[in-house]
Amino acid sequence: MTVVLSGFADEISPDLDEQLAVLAAESISHLELRSVWSTNVADLDDMQLARLRRRLHESGVHVSAIGSPIGKIGIDAPLAPELERLRRVAELASELGTTLVRVFSFFIPQAQDPQLYRARVIDRMGELAALAADRGLVLAHENEKEIYGDRPERCADIIASVGSPALQATFDAANFVQCGVRPHSDAYELLRPYLVYVQVKDALTATGEVVPAGQGDGQVRETLAALRDSAFQGYLSLEPHLALAGRFGGFSGPDGFRLACGALKDLLADLSVQWQ
């Protein structure tokens, strides 16, 4: 197995040049675009997009996926603005040479049974997937705290029920830990048929604190070994969250990002997994 390393470069710095410098120092030639210049990817204007394309081309860095916020709204919020955001994200993805877009499955009111919202979630995810299919995109659903698809059985149910090649899965071990799930033992086999992408961060069960890969309870080593044994070909995208972890993003700083890179590379070396 050879994997491609990527990462949320906005965890390094809001400044693109600093992002690119750290990626170059770590020999990482891809980034997952969530924000740049303190602007969310869905809000980049045409001038910013042109500037971004130019700098990426000059640096030889490619975009592995769009780390969009689509679906990080309440289940009762209007869907039309999210569909419009996805149309804009599709334009950006086309310009930046990727077909992968991260999405979420809507925040559910606290203390209510998520199953009450199953049909509405699946209908909405189906609308997003239909638009994505029309635009040649693949949506990678991320398991996230407090959304409908926070647990593996609901993640798998969404994707199977929508039944579109345009809706697949990404896998975030730390988020599962923070939801009381053992990522490899409880989630991997269920989601492996749908995995097109992997977010890399780890967490401690006792506190929920995010830590470098392999230093928490996220069973990252076991999952990487299983991906190796199943000949996974795709991206491992670092999302370290070592300095700040919030509902809509995180931050690590240059040193934290380098620390996270080193931990992942050490795991890959121990497992004899090649990366590029």
Side-chain angles (χ1 to χ4, degrees), residues 21-170:
V22 172
L23 291 176
E26 293 295 331
S27 300
I28 294 177
S29 61
H30 288 72
L31 62 80
E32 183 166 352
L33 184 62
R34 179 173 57 197
S35 71
V36 63
W37 306 304
S38 300
T39 302
N40 186 272
V41 59
D43 299 321
L44 292 174
D45 62 30
D46 289 344
M47 289 184 63
Q48 290 172 314
L49 176 59
R51 180 183 172 196
L52 173 62
R53 282 189 62 192
R54 183 173 64 253
R55 287 295 292 118
L56 293 177
H57 178 73
E58 291 168 352
S59 302
V61 171
H62 306 279
V63 175
S64 59
I66 304 295
S68 88
I70 290 168
K72 271 197 173 183
I73 60 171
I75 187 61
D76 293 322
L79 185 62
E82 291 299 272
L83 294 170
E84 191 57 37
R85 291 177 99 185
L86 182 55
R87 292 184 184 97
R88 175 56 178 166
V89 165
E91 294 173 359
L92 296 168
S94 178
E95 289 291 324
L96 295 169
T98 184
T99 59
L100 288 170
V101 176
R102 179 191 65 164
V103 297
F104 303 90
S105 54
F106 308 100
F107 291 120
I108 302 301
Q110 291 185 1
Q112 292 199 26
D113 182 356
Q115 288 302 114
L116 295 173
Y117 299 91
R118 178 182 179 273
R120 196 179 313 175
V121 167
I122 290 170
D123 285 347
R124 287 182 159 215
M125 297 304 292
E127 288 192 57
L128 292 172
L131 176 55
D134 184 61
R135 302 301 175 94
L137 299 177
V138 174
L139 305 181
H141 174 266
E142 179 178 337
N143 55 289
E144 172 66 276
K145 300 177 294 296
E146 301 172 3
I147 66 171
Y148 180 82
D150 59 351
R151 297 187 61 83
E153 60 274 13
R154 288 198 286 268
C155 294
D157 180 44
I158 292 167
I159 298 168
S161 297
V162 170
S164 168
L167 180 63
Q168 301 295 319
T170 186

